[in-house]
Amino acid sequence: MSQVLLYLLAKVKKLILHFKKQNKMKEIMTVYYMEAKSARVGGRKVAWITSGGPVEPLIAMDVIPVYPENHGAMIGASKMGVGLCETAESMGYSTDLCSYARSDIACATVNGGPIGGLPRPDMLVCCNNICGTVLKWYEVQARYFDVPLFILDTPFCHVGFAQEAKRYVRKQLDEYINFLEKVCGKKMDHDRMKEVGKLSLEGQRLWQAVLDTTANRPAPMSAFDAFYHLALIVTLRGTPVVVEYYTQLLAKMKDRVAKGVGAVPNEKYRLLWDNIPIWPRTRWLSQKFAAHDACLVADTYTSAWCGTMKYIDENNFFDSMAEAYTRIYLNIGVDEMARIVIGMVDKYRVDGIVMHSNRSCKPYSLGQYDIQRIVEKERGIPSLMIEADMVDERSFSESQVATRIDAFMEVIKQRKS
Amino acid sequence: MLTAGIDIGSISTKAAVLADGRLLGSRVIFTGYNSEAAGKKVFEELLEELGLLASAVRRIVSTGYGRSSVKFVDKAVTEIICHGTGAHFLNPLVRSVIDIGGQDSKAIVLDEHGKVKNFAMNDKCAAGTGRFLEVMANALEADLDGFGEMSLKADRPAGISSLCTVFAESEVISLIAKGESRVNIIAGIHESIAARVSALANRVGIVPPVVMTGGVAKNAGVVKALEKKLGVPIEVSPFAQVNGAIGAAIIAAGLR
Ligand code: SF4
């Protein structure tokens, strides 16, 4: 056993050296996935967790968190989505099911995809603050891998946040800790939890600061860059590596701002993106908009991982987490969502909104027409609706989307002239 | 100054030539499988009809799905701007345009200068477009040109509820099997298109006067069904089908 361990460690070290020369993000993510895949050898446990789930207790318990949704995004970006979705469909899953769920479920059975499947979980943690799909998805996976599943139920906040809801979620956090202690066979170290909470909040602050640099003209980075840099705040928040990475990234962006370097060489129009990226098409889209001298300067998606900082109590992360995780963007009413969008329109001074009506993600796409109407009425800026899917390319029609983007940009140019 | 607009759609290709803001002539042909050839052909045929040489035309703008396939034009502009410009040219009072094309339907709101304030296009689905009508005409083994007239004779339009073109086609076939009259089926098809397009129009918030452009505007049945659904009168210009090409020719005149 120890020999295997030594061998693996040597391999990881070699990889680190290899990637040091390349790019920092790739290096971090590769080491992370290597660690997760060899967790068993190192005597560590792996938990699969939903993208909006409270990951900090896992980090505090030294459990490696793995994100099937992040995996789904990787599958989409590497254009492997259609094949895996078809596999899931032949297993009997509906084409109407979220394509992250479809590709993940298929991937588990064939160990395919860009990284040869995710490391086997020891437990699953599912928080329904993002959608109801994850409940069934995680139940399926819990049966398939025969591992325990913890469900954190966060009531939908149509308006405000009731005290009852707060108590209800807070109570479940204790159950969450009990669950982890049982599966891991050890007690939670609450001092460590505090530390992780601090690091998580710091990571979120830095991420928000990075995103805020795009309020400058020209924007030093675009939403397409944010889609890329996002990976760490999603997967590893609560660890020092995130703080380090975003500190460096922030310095880099500030430097670009000082030098007046923009993400789009000749930035004339500024746009806001809504919904999950169309992963297999991010490059095409970014070139398409850049050709119109348009920069997508901000988006509602990447900002979701630092959007509820106002509810977090720095000195009491654990308790305040109940509210912060319940009031995320996908778990609030359309009116409040529209207020957030309008806030972004003002902050980043955008000329228009590009909305991705995402066939997969119903909670994100429902209400977009209302938000469109509210923003149009209050800020008088136009918005474009693109029908597509974040992973499943069968729902993407290039010529139709191209025509809509061209027309939208012509309208924006006409309005600004 | 002579300018031209070429509108290459998924079903038909249109051309228009303008002389200092006056329409000299226009022409419509089928696009077929080669949009570049269609763009070239319609332009050459129109020039011949008008007795003009290509060199006499100072500027050309292309639009429609095949807009980027023709290389001899000065600029490619999308249908939204061209239909807005064309409609404003034909009637400056117009504030909204509904255009039903081969694979796209659109609702456009204009300001008093003919600039586009807002627009919406159909989602990916082909329901509510010209192609939808074509498929239905096939299923009925009827001539599309007669559709408008026939549907006006309907006494009880048949309900067609499916949004999917393929499923709607089988609905039509089962209606035929049940012995429903052709005129009622056709009227039902028109109502189904009107339902789709009016949702689009309401979403973008159209304001009267409303004009309808595109080849489907020639179908009186669709226009009537849309008027009923939207509760506003809809104007149809005799140049409805070449409206996009006219708009392109006007934009060409404004190019520097
Ligand atoms: S439905 Fe939306 S929120 Fe739910 S898992 Fe899929 S993409 Fe995520």
Side-chain angles (χ1 to χ4, degrees), chain A residues 69 98 100 130-131 133-134 137 276 330 360-363 390:
Chain A
E69 288 154 83
C98 157
Y100 278 170
I130 47 171
C131 68
T133 302
V134 287
W137 172 6
I276 301 174
L330 290 188
S360 269
C361 191
K362 285 82 185 172
M390 61 204 178

Side-chain angles (χ1 to χ4, degrees), chain A residues 168-412:
Chain A
Y168 174 64
V169 179
R170 175 62 192 82
K171 186 91 209 344
Q172 291 175 74
L173 289 180
D174 290 333
E175 291 165 14
Y176 181 23
I177 302 303
N178 288 342
F179 168 87
L180 291 179
E181 288 179 336
K182 214 170 125 203
V183 180
C184 298
K186 65 175 182 195
K187 284 277 163 206
M188 162 68 93
D189 175 346
H190 288 276
D191 289 332
R192 173 101 178 92
M193 179 61 223
K194 276 194 188 118
E195 224 173 90
V196 172
K198 280 218 161 67
L199 283 170
S200 168
L201 187 59
E202 198 178 341
Q204 294 182 49
R205 277 192 189 129
L206 282 162
W207 178 236
Q208 183 68 63
V210 167
L211 296 178
D212 283 350
T213 60
T214 63
N216 290 286
R217 239 176 241 269
M221 60 180 245
S222 72
F224 295 104
D225 299 312
F227 297 158
Y228 174 79
H229 294 299
L230 169 76
L232 295 190
I233 194 70
V234 179
T235 53
L236 291 167
R237 66 179 178 282
T239 65
V241 66
V242 174
V243 173
E244 191 193 326
Y245 182 84
Y246 290 134
T247 305
Q248 284 173 11
L249 184 62
L250 181 60
K252 214 162 115 192
M253 289 308 141
K254 282 188 169 163
D255 183 51
R256 284 172 73 96
V257 170
K259 292 187 178 130
V261 183
V264 169
N266 189 19
E267 177 193 303
K268 280 199 198 123
Y269 312 103
R270 297 164 63 84
L271 304 170
L272 175 76
W273 174 271
D274 180 53
N275 213 311
I276 301 174
I278 305 170
W279 293 113
R281 288 309 183 120
T282 47
R283 177 175 308 187
W284 182 83
L285 282 165
S286 108
Q287 287 168 351
K288 183 90 200 145
F289 283 106
H292 285 289
D293 298 328
C295 182
L296 297 178
V297 293
D299 68 282
T300 57
Y301 172 66
T302 57
S303 53
W305 279 271
C306 51
T308 56
M309 275 190 292
K310 57 176 180 270
Y311 305 124
I312 299 176
D313 177 354
E314 193 166 5
N315 299 310
N316 191 357
F317 187 90
F318 190 78
D319 286 335
S320 58
M321 179 165 90
E323 181 162 1
Y325 275 110
T326 307
R327 302 185 77 170
I328 65 155
Y329 190 71
L330 290 188
N331 208 39
I332 53 175
V334 167
D335 289 312
E336 201 181 334
M337 281 170 120
R339 300 271 39 111
I340 291 176
V341 171
I342 288 173
M344 294 182 84
V345 166
D346 293 343
K347 180 176 184 181
Y348 299 101
R349 293 173 293 166
V350 300
D351 305 305
I353 305 182
V354 182
M355 291 182 149
H356 166 206
S357 172
N358 184 351
R359 178 139 184 82
S360 269
C361 191
K362 285 82 185 172
Y364 214 146
S365 307
L366 184 100
Q368 277 178 316
Y369 282 126
D370 288 308
I371 295 172
Q372 191 175 43
R373 207 172 23 79
I374 296 170
V375 178
E376 153 104 53
K377 196 167 145 233
E378 294 197 18
R379 290 297 180 270
I381 60 168
S383 52
L384 170 71
M385 192 68 77
I386 294 177
E387 294 248 337
D389 187 276
M390 61 204 178
V391 165
D392 190 345
E393 277 198 272
R394 291 170 297 179
S395 296
F396 187 88
S397 157
E398 189 174 300
S399 67
Q400 273 200 335
V401 174
T403 296
R404 278 154 184 73
I405 292 175
D406 289 343
F408 182 63
M409 288 316 303
E410 283 169 7
V411 169
I412 288 199

